[in-house]
Amino acid sequence: MTGRVRGRTGADDVDLRRPSARVVRRVVRDPQAWVGGVVLLLVVVWALVGPWLRPWDTTYADVTAFGVPPSPEHWFGTNDIGQDLYQQVLVGLRKSLMIGLVAGPLATLVAAVVGAVAGLVGGWVDRLLLAGVDLMLVIPSLFLLILLSPVLTRGGWPTLAVGIALLSWMVVARVVRAQTRTLRERGFVRAARFSGASTWRVVRRHVWPNLASLLVIDATVAVGAAVLAEATLSYFGLGVQVPDVSLGTLLASGSPSVATRPWLFVFPAAVLVVTVTAVSLLGSALRDGLDPGGPDA
Amino acid sequence: MPDPLLDVRDLHVRFGAHRSGEVHAVRGVDLRMAPGEVLGLVGGSGAGKSALVSAVLGLLPHGGTMTGSVRFEGTELVGLGDRAFSALRGPGLAVVFQDSLSVLDPVQRVGAQVVEVLRLHDRALSRAAARSRTDELFALVGLPSGVVQAFAHEVSGGMRQRVGIALAIACSPRLLIADEPTSALDVTVQAQVLDVLDRARQASGAGLLLVTHDLGVVAGWTDRVAVMHAGRVVEQAGVTELFEAPREPRTVTLLRAAPDPRTPRHGRRPDPGEPVLEVTDLRVTHRLDAGPRRRRGQVVAVDGVSLTVRRGEVLALVGESGAGKTSVVEQVFALSPPREGGVRVLGHDLTSADRATRRRLRGQAQLVVQDTTDALDPRMSVGSAVAEPLAVARVPRRERRARVVGALEAVGLGPGLVGAYPHELSGGERRRVAIARALVVRPTLLALDEPVAGLDVSVAAGLLGLLADLRDDLGLTCLVVTHDLAAVRRLADRVAVMVGGRVVEEASTDALFDSPAHPYTRALLAAVPVPDPRAPRPVALVTGERLWTAARAEGCCLADRCPLLAERDDERERRCREVEPGLVSRADRTVACHWWDLGPSR
């Protein structure tokens, strides 16, 4: 190659731009990203400002309306003890979102650390970490959560988020490890090692940036998964405990009366589906945008 | 002139109706080839050689268009339909690519793929007949018969190229196109493969279009040469005429940049000082794992190597791929205690050095790793890449910028590049940044692994000039690993030749080039292409390639491949096979060969 590549026009010009700029451009042009992003934004904004749109308080029980269907008074209806379901759903949504936003990225972080260190160091460290990953994979996480439930519920929702995160990082850790092992043979990683860089430095400066696409996608996908995991656990009575409310506990308490008072189940379920779908669409758009072989928008 | 085999007139190739505009890769090329002629097509990267070849083969990538005229034996190829073109490829046109690995199907035995091609073009051919024809073809290209049953990944690079040639000549094409067929190979293997190509061409009477950037190859193997630059053929002439009386300035530039291993060094070099690096009897083995717990055995990469590099001196480590050159430098510059043997860097024994000593040594001994286009992190700017060793050495942040700019200046790059990313750099610039990265800590000892491999001749010449300047200006002590003997001649004070994990000869550069003592050194030098059509054509005195050997070989590591094999009597033969020759020093030369030991050979 002669001369400067920069500014040169060529058939491969598109790929010569900064990867991040290309990714942003492609994600922005993806309708999935728009739909997912806008819906998620609306959900979050609604979760924050929604309570002020209605006069009812979360804890207030309307003694004049026990279990009434949706009406102009109570948009989502009320439950058996006269609580306004609209407010209940909002509280539950906030809790679910917080758990998801903490647990998802946390799971990815654990996966990124364990996978990168195992792949980069190799040897017995690799074998030990892999054995740990496999052990965690073998034990059904739901079973473990049931066992740990007394501990998890005592600490409130943050412990629950941590618990969910600690049980959902293993598969991604294996992927990160595999990718790191190929990176380990790349010239720049070897160059860094020969200039004396520590393992941790190589992980932070070389491995993570080069796996950014994978990690960002996984963090997004994990948010949706964590919200669902929380709902599942709470549905079985193992997650968020009364008097706390999450989408999962609402679904649990609403499900017995789905035939007689469907609104108690339908509204929390709809909000859950909309939220998780929006997050998934955003994750899918990110994955398409970051995949160099993907469609170039 | 008889009817031309290939007649290209005013050919234009354009790529991409992109937003960013189209690329005009070939701009009006006229080219004629007579039947049976060998035409060399040379030029730097981006000159349009590959685009021209793809156009002639009808294999332009999506988005590429060609206009003008390409006539092959009178048939117009521009605008020819896909089906008609396919019928022409094989019996008419055939191609040998740079690496046949990508051409060969990894899940099919290589023999079966040749059989498939034969039967595809001649439906009447029986399976048995196709098989015996395949055996003939493999014999013609010098492949042992067992290779028919091998998979592509099981054979060496040189053998793969031979399979590629067998595949190309399977249907007796009238025009054989070889696109950089030997660029990825060692010189000794290169000479063999090019000879095979020539033999195959003569056997089938085909014309050969040899695309290469190596003027030595052109001088040795072609009749006529076309020089390409910026999409045009700037000069076409007979090979002797072109080398002796080039008319175009572009040709002159190209010829001047061509490395010539015969040119002796200019200028006197300062006398070397105390030893900076001492390697004694180093052995490096790599484990072969077949899984996390199953061990398949081990490969002896370095088998008892001793080297000394003195202050201010440049030692070159040369040899074929797999000789263990890279393993030596990587073991040394990891600065970790060697498992077997001893390494002393600046007087510190690595076996007993503590962490603090190692950290100190890290700032003194730097390695520029082999550049496989990814020696720089694609996600890191040039500035932070060069600054990384400073961060490791805990140089205060505010001093770093000045040091980075200084290091970039030392390698001839402006401070404007600090914010650039690797993909914005050319191959030569990337190489310079990698060197700047090593220089930024101001090392005493610098090792360079294949510093000019894969670069255009002119870029490589520039880089060699830079390295020579750095050597002189900074008084660097260097260990250069390379298989490029022209680079060695230009840079090194002393040369150590490695074969099979051992050093077989060590001498001063001029002594080694002028009177090589070890048979392998002689073979290596004889195989180097020289950019002079009057010079004898490079020959491969050593045949075969070293493959990874699992066990330590008895006797001389060259015993099976030695050019002197034919001349040895039984007694000497036995000795070569069973007794490992020790290193013997005489004058300023050290050689490991029973023959040299027994007295100078004629």
Side-chain angles (χ1 to χ4, degrees):
Chain A
M1 244 180 280
T2 51
R4 189 62 33 85
V5 182
R6 197 168 340 158
R8 199 176 71 173
T9 56
D12 46 1
D13 188 47
V14 173
D15 293 321
L16 290 178
R17 293 191 209 168
R18 272 190 67 176
S20 51
R22 194 180 78 233
V23 167
V24 168
R25 189 165 43 86
R26 276 160 51 148
V27 169
V28 162
R29 292 187 189 179
D30 190 339
Q32 285 190 95
W34 279 102
V35 174
V38 167
V39 171
L40 188 65
L41 191 70
L42 287 177
V43 167
V44 170
V45 168
W46 182 57
L48 294 176
V49 305
W52 285 284
L53 300 179
R54 302 297 302 152
W56 312 108
D57 195 289
T58 1
T59 49
Y60 176 79
D62 188 350
V63 289
T64 63
F66 293 128
V68 297
S71 63
E73 279 297 83
H74 299 281
W75 284 356
F76 289 3
T78 63
N79 63 11
D80 295 352
I81 55 168
Q83 287 171 322
D84 181 53
L85 196 67
Y86 174 85
Q87 296 290 10
Q88 295 275 308
V89 166
L90 280 174
V91 174
L93 176 62
R94 282 208 294 271
K95 188 122 303 155
S96 289
L97 280 177
M98 281 194 289
I99 291 176
L101 290 176
V102 170
L106 188 62
T108 305
L109 181 69
V110 175
V113 172
V114 174
V117 170
L120 200 62
V121 177
W124 65 268
V125 174
D126 182 31
R127 284 200 288 277
L128 191 73
L129 289 173
L130 260 192
V133 167
D134 288 344
L135 190 71
M136 301 268 310
L137 276 174
V138 173
I139 301 171
S141 44
L142 196 62
F143 178 71
L144 207 63
L145 275 175
I146 291 170
L147 283 181
L148 293 177
S149 164
V151 186
L152 293 182
T153 48
R154 204 172 309 137
W157 72 267
T159 4
L160 182 66
V162 172
I164 290 172
L166 290 183
L167 287 169
S168 51
W169 55 274
M170 291 83 71
V171 175
V172 182
R174 290 205 73 129
V175 177
V176 170
R177 173 187 168 271
Q179 301 267 343
T180 308
R181 282 182 71 89
T182 61
L183 279 179
R184 186 166 76 152
E185 301 306 316
R186 297 276 296 274
F188 56 88
V189 172
R190 299 192 319 129
R193 308 226 80 176
F194 279 111
S195 63
S198 64
T199 300
W200 187 234
R201 186 183 171 85
V202 175
V203 166
R204 279 185 303 118
R205 301 300 301 270
H206 297 289
V207 176
W208 285 352
N210 279 285
L211 297 182
S213 56
L214 173 79
L215 298 176
V216 167
I217 293 157
D218 179 65
T220 325
V221 173
V223 168
V227 169
L228 279 181
E230 178 278 321
T232 313
L233 284 174
S234 303
Y235 181 85
F236 288 120
L238 302 168
V240 173
Q241 299 294 310
V242 201
D244 251 359
V245 177
S246 80
L247 289 180
T249 60
L250 287 176
L251 285 172
S253 58
S255 62
S257 46
V258 67
T260 50
R261 291 188 293 273
W263 60 91
L264 291 183
F265 182 80
V266 168
F267 284 109
V271 170
L272 179 67
V273 167
V274 167
T275 309
V276 173
T277 309
V279 174
S280 305
L281 280 175
L282 201 58
S284 165
L286 280 173
R287 186 187 51 230
D288 290 351
L290 287 161
D291 177 10
D296 195 8
Chain B
M1 197 167 168
D3 252 10
L5 175 70
L6 184 71
D7 189 1
V8 179
R9 279 171 206 272
D10 195 30
L11 181 72
H12 291 259
V13 177
R14 294 176 175 87
F15 288 109
H18 245 289
R19 279 186 304 279
S20 44
E22 62 167 26
V23 188
H24 203 160
V26 176
R27 303 160 180 247
V29 161
D30 291 283
L31 203 63
R32 258 159 298 280
M33 272 181 77
E37 184 182 38
V38 184
L39 177 69
L41 188 62
V42 296
S45 328
K49 303 182 305 246
S50 293
L52 176 62
V53 165
S54 310
V56 170
L57 285 165
L59 296 175
L60 279 179
H62 189 71
T65 50
M66 55 174 173
T67 53
S69 158
V70 179
R71 282 177 177 276
F72 174 70
E73 295 182 324
T75 316
E76 179 59 57
L77 299 186
V78 176
L80 193 68
D82 226 15
R83 189 171 286 269
F85 227 131
S86 292
L88 204 57
R89 282 182 220 123
L93 304 156
V95 63
V96 180
F97 291 101
Q98 179 172 345
D99 186 358
S100 300
L101 185 61
S102 49
V103 180
L104 296 169
D105 186 337
V107 297
Q108 270 200 44
R109 295 179 195 282
V110 293
Q113 300 183 51
V114 180
V115 168
E116 186 191 8
V117 166
L118 284 168
R119 291 183 29 121
L120 201 66
H121 285 281
D122 183 2
R123 310 230 166 215
L125 199 67
S126 75
R127 192 165 282 275
R131 274 209 206 104
S132 68
R133 175 93 181 103
T134 303
D135 289 340
E136 281 171 35
L137 284 167
F138 273 38
L140 178 70
V141 298
L143 283 171
S145 54
V147 174
V148 173
Q149 292 294 323
F151 290 99
H153 67 271
E154 296 175 329
V155 300
S156 65
M159 287 198 187
R160 272 204 298 271
Q161 285 311 82
R162 289 168 193 258
V163 174
I165 293 169
L167 210 52
I169 61 169
C171 301
S172 314
R174 270 101 63 198
L175 174 60
L176 199 55
I177 297 177
D179 192 355
E180 302 274 6
T182 55
S183 303
L185 304 176
D186 284 329
V187 279
T188 50
V189 184
Q190 164 169 283
Q192 293 169 58
V193 168
L194 286 172
D195 274 341
V196 163
L197 195 61
D198 202 42
R199 208 179 326 137
R201 179 192 67 79
Q202 282 164 9
S204 59
L208 173 65
L209 180 60
L210 184 61
V211 182
T212 178
H213 67 274
D214 188 334
L215 286 159
V217 169
V218 169
W221 276 275
T222 62
D223 306 330
R224 230 155 45 79
V225 190
V227 180
M228 270 192 93
H229 178 77
R232 292 191 180 84
V233 169
V234 291
E235 183 164 0
Q236 257 189 94
V239 64
T240 340
E241 194 187 326
L242 185 99
F243 276 86
E244 281 168 12
R247 272 193 229 116
E248 289 296 317
R250 288 288 166 192
T251 317
V252 177
T253 319
L254 206 61
L255 288 174
R256 197 169 292 157
D260 190 338
R262 297 171 305 176
T263 323
R265 284 252 306 265
H266 304 294
R268 246 190 70 76
R269 299 270 302 130
D271 287 330
E274 80 284 2
V276 170
L277 172 67
E278 289 164 281
V279 178
T280 41
D281 211 20
L282 182 71
R283 255 168 72 83
V284 178
T285 51
H286 296 307
R287 269 181 28 205
L288 282 180
D289 288 339
R293 248 159 243 102
R294 286 201 300 134
R295 211 186 269 189
R296 258 202 327 217
Q298 57 177 17
V299 164
V300 181
V302 179
D303 191 7
V305 162
S306 300
L307 293 169
T308 305
V309 189
R310 295 175 178 280
R311 189 175 291 275
E313 152 183 272
V314 179
L315 175 70
L317 207 51
V318 302
E320 62 196 341
S321 338
K325 310 179 298 272
T326 297
S327 296
V328 170
V329 287
E330 293 201 339
Q331 172 63 57
V332 170
F333 285 83
L335 298 182
S336 59
R339 281 220 189 106
E340 292 174 70
V343 179
R344 287 175 80 84
V345 180
L346 294 149
H348 297 277
D349 190 340
L350 288 186
T351 315
S352 53
D354 54 14
R355 279 178 82 97
T357 313
R358 278 204 196 105
R359 181 187 297 286
R360 215 155 1 93
L361 287 180
R362 189 73 73 187
Q364 306 269 294
Q366 286 279 320
L367 167 66
V368 180
V369 298
Q370 194 164 354
D371 187 297
T372 42
T373 69
D374 63 358
L376 297 176
D377 191 335
R379 309 243 169 180
M380 211 184 235
S381 69
V382 166
S384 24
V386 176
E388 188 171 44
L390 293 177
V392 170
R394 297 182 190 158
V395 171
R397 218 168 264 280
R398 55 195 146 61
E399 290 175 27
R400 287 186 203 165
R401 203 187 149 82
R403 294 271 295 262
V404 166
V405 171
L408 286 174
E409 267 167 17
V411 296
L413 297 174
L417 279 183
V418 166
Y421 280 81
H423 67 261
E424 297 170 320
L425 306 179
S426 70
E429 284 172 328
R430 275 204 298 269
R431 215 62 71 95
R432 283 166 194 255
V433 171
I435 294 169
R437 230 181 96 91
L439 289 179
V440 78
V441 295
R442 297 170 189 155
T444 317
L445 175 63
L446 181 69
L448 300 139
D449 195 354
E450 298 287 4
V452 293
L455 292 178
D456 261 9
V457 278
S458 55
V459 180
L463 200 60
L464 283 177
L466 167 74
L467 289 174
D469 290 346
L470 288 174
R471 173 195 68 193
D472 298 339
D473 298 347
L474 306 178
L476 280 175
T477 308
C478 292
L479 180 59
V480 181
V481 169
T482 181
H483 63 265
D484 182 341
L485 289 163
V488 170
R489 185 108 216 211
R490 173 129 189 225
L491 274 183
D493 300 308
R494 275 188 316 122
V495 186
V497 182
M498 279 186 79
V499 186
R502 299 175 195 165
V503 171
V504 294
E505 178 166 3
E506 193 186 327
S508 76
T509 305
D510 288 340
L512 187 109
F513 275 83
D514 295 340
S515 58
H518 195 277
Y520 180 77
T521 314
R522 264 181 270 158
L524 202 61
L525 290 173
V528 180
V530 174
D532 177 1
R534 291 192 192 280
R537 178 189 278 198
V539 283
L541 296 174
V542 173
T543 51
E545 287 162 77
R546 173 184 148 86
L547 302 173
W548 294 108
T549 43
R552 183 195 173 98
E554 288 282 302
C556 178
C557 46
L558 206 63
D560 296 322
R561 300 165 44 197
C562 186
L564 301 177
L565 192 68
E567 301 168 32
R568 288 193 299 228
D569 55 33
D570 290 349
E571 167 55 25
R572 286 185 171 180
E573 164 113 23
R574 193 192 56 76
R575 194 161 168 212
C576 284
R577 288 196 187 279
E578 291 171 13
V579 184
E580 185 187 338
L583 282 165
V584 176
S585 298
R586 198 176 297 159
D588 61 344
R589 186 189 291 258
T590 311
V591 179
C593 175
H594 292 311
W595 283 66
W596 194 63
D597 188 16
L598 293 173
S601 58
R602 353 76 301 139

